[in-house]
Amino acid sequence: MTILIDKDQVIAGPTLVPAAHELARDAGPELTIGLVNNMPDAALKATERQFMKLLQAAAGSRRIRFHCFSLPSVKRSPEAKWHVESEYSNLSDLERGKFDGLIVTGAEPIAPELDREPYWRDLTNLIDWAKVNTRSTIWSCLAAHAAVLHLDGIERQRLPAKCHGIFDCDVVADDSLTRFAPAPLKVSHSRLNEIAESDLMQGGYQVLTRSEEAGVDVFVRQYASRFVFFQGHPEYDALSLQREYLRDIGRYLARERENYPHLPVSYFDAATEEKLARFERKAAHQRHPALSNELPALNLRGDIGAGEAAAVLFRNWLRYLGADADAPRSVR
Ligand SMILES: CC(C)(COP(=O)(O)OP(=O)(O)OC[C@H]1O[C@@H](n2cnc3c(N)ncnc32)[C@H](O)[C@@H]1OP(=O)(O)O)[C@@H](O)C(=O)NCCC(=O)NCCSC(=O)CCC(=O)O
Ligand SMILES: N[C@@H](CCO)C(=O)O
């Protein structure tokens, strides 16, 4: 899938890309950005939409040639496989192409050890390629954990309980990526593991934003490419965390998971949290899938700021790519 994102219109599909002369307008050098979408099938299209929307909003007058990829070793249903095969570009096109920016999504951790995930080899090859073939790559959540393990042997730590919710993150270093960021940055986190800040400091990484409760949020490392690591999910829609929470309740009721999921932090409004706590008490002794029909109506807090942090981070990221694109191509 190659989508030209232009501030006036989104053109889907390579055949609809306008002829070169139409691109002569002073849109500034076009940026080529790849999305390696390893999210589970149910979030596959939503993740495309989330990142496309963010890039379009952040692009201003710049044109972006946006390509989607997925690692072939990520297990997919026939339908999701068909979507990837018919709509996504081939990973080999990535290695042959010239990409200014790359975004690599996380995935739901299945194997206890990252290097036992089926896509580990593909992911480490991608990390090595991106180091010298992109101006900057964003590694999201599990991809960030995989990158620091592969690059510096830094192991993720399993959390006692899933870290999920909306967390206030403070800017802790002066960097172009967080310029004009609101204080605090409200960022969705949703992960079973974390990277300890002390390990990152020892490994020569620089932490840019941090939450008192959730720990490290955004951190960076300069190679030929600027590697940007998101432990959180600034790209998540307002309802993404709710969907995951409802999925986890469903898994508990179906006895597909041992424990009942904790409430996402600072996410639902107080009245909804009370109703969900009552539902949890009921689920403890009426544990069957049909009980999900009795889930209450859910209302989010009014201050979750969905998309606000991502808008700043992606606008600054594109500025970084664009500034570099304006400069003569340095030898990488
Ligand atoms: C929770 C689910 C299963 C979605 O549950 P649902 O059952 O609601 O979805 P569904 O019924 O399949 O889809 C119903 C509609 O919701 C949309 N939809 C689905 N997922 C969505 C999402 N995350 N955000 C926004 N919209 C979403 C679908 O596109 C569809 O819309 P249309 O009908 O319009 O299409 C999915 O979001 C998911 O798999 N999330 C997991 C994300 C994940 O694995 N993240 C990994 C990064 S975190 C990480 O790396 C962790 C590392 C670590 O833990 O250490
Ligand atoms: N955020 C993802 C991964 C959790 O580690 C989920 O809830 O499925």
Side-chain angles (χ1 to χ4, degrees), residues 28-51:
E30 186 179 280
L31 294 174
T32 303
I33 293 177
L35 170 70
V36 181
N37 188 354
N38 301 318
M39 293 287 259
D41 295 352
L44 188 68
K45 291 179 185 169
T47 302
E48 285 165 35
R49 284 200 298 266
Q50 286 163 352
F51 282 111

Side-chain angles (χ1 to χ4, degrees), residues 110-132:
I110 307 294
E113 304 302 328
L114 261 173
D115 55 8
R116 308 295 297 273
E117 293 287 3
Y119 47 76
W120 174 252
R121 172 78 36 231
D122 282 344
L123 191 49
T124 53
N125 291 340
L126 181 65
I127 293 164
D128 294 336
W129 176 85
K131 249 170 95 171
V132 289

Side-chain angles (χ1 to χ4, degrees), residues 39-40 42-43 46 49-50 106-109 141-142 145 190-193 233 236-237 240 243-244 247:
M39 293 287 259
R49 284 200 298 266
Q50 286 163 352
E108 189 178 0
C141 212
L142 180 140
H145 296 170
S190 175
R191 48 191 165 84
L192 303 174
N193 302 278
H233 288 283
Y236 268 15
D237 290 347
S240 297
R243 294 179 190 287
E244 293 177 0
R247 173 206 60 198

Side-chain angles (χ1 to χ4, degrees), residues 3 17 47 89 102 141 196 247 264 270 298:
I3 296 174
V17 174
T47 302
S89 305
L102 190 66
C141 212
R247 173 206 60 198
L298 306 173

Side-chain angles (χ1 to χ4, degrees), residues 289-306:
L291 190 68
S292 56
N293 299 323
E294 296 179 31
L295 271 160
L298 306 173
N299 295 308
L300 307 185
R301 287 170 56 139
D303 64 350
I304 64 169

Side-chain angles (χ1 to χ4, degrees), residues 41-101:
D41 295 352
L44 188 68
K45 291 179 185 169
T47 302
E48 285 165 35
R49 284 200 298 266
Q50 286 163 352
F51 282 111
M52 225 179 325
K53 214 168 61 181
L54 283 169
L55 289 171
Q56 192 167 16
S61 61
R62 276 201 190 277
R63 283 182 187 74
I64 295 176
R65 203 168 278 279
F66 180 69
H67 301 254
C68 286
F69 303 89
S70 184
L71 296 183
S73 41
V74 170
K75 286 195 174 34
R76 295 238 176 256
S77 67
E79 192 205 354
K81 210 180 249 174
W82 182 84
H83 176 68
V84 168
E85 284 165 3
S86 53
E87 296 293 324
Y88 281 27
S89 305
N90 224 314
L91 204 61
S92 52
D93 299 341
L94 178 69
E95 279 144 22
R96 277 200 300 270
K98 274 222 167 306
F99 283 79
D100 299 295

